[in-house]
Amino acid sequence: MRMTLAALVVGLGVVITIAGGAALYNYGIVADETGISGWNPMLWILVFAGIATALVGTIQVALATGDRPARLVSS
């Protein structure tokens, strides 16, 4: 269960990062068309938050993998 939740956190981080990147790209197109400044710090925070979420999930996966007991094979 712990591994599943950690993998879901990684997936959530990837989705947030892609959504933030797409929003940043679209905002850049609108900024270019209208002549406004293309700097939008909230979208950059969204992208970095997605990267941080994926990183935390990756660390959780590594910790969950290390906590698994070794299986003994009897012969």
Side-chain angles (χ1 to χ4, degrees), residues 3 5 7-8 11 18 26 38-39 43 46 49 51-52 54 62 67 70:
M3 182 67 79
L5 292 175
L8 286 174
I18 291 171
N26 288 335
W39 174 247
L43 292 178
L46 184 65
I51 293 170
D67 286 346

Side-chain angles (χ1 to χ4, degrees), residues 6-70:
L8 286 174
V9 170
V10 172
L12 178 67
V14 169
V15 168
I16 291 171
T17 303
I18 291 171
L24 194 60
Y25 178 76
N26 288 335
Y27 185 79
I29 290 174
V30 170
D32 189 42
E33 293 280 329
T34 59
I36 61 173
S37 172
W39 174 247
N40 191 341
M42 290 307 294
L43 292 178
W44 282 104
I45 289 172
L46 184 65
V47 170
F48 290 133
I51 293 170
T53 303
L55 180 64
V56 167
T58 305
I59 292 169
Q60 288 178 351
V61 167
L63 292 175
T65 304
D67 286 346
R68 290 187 175 200

Side-chain angles (χ1 to χ4, degrees), residues 66-73:
D67 286 346
R68 290 187 175 200
R71 294 183 184 225
L72 297 175
V73 178

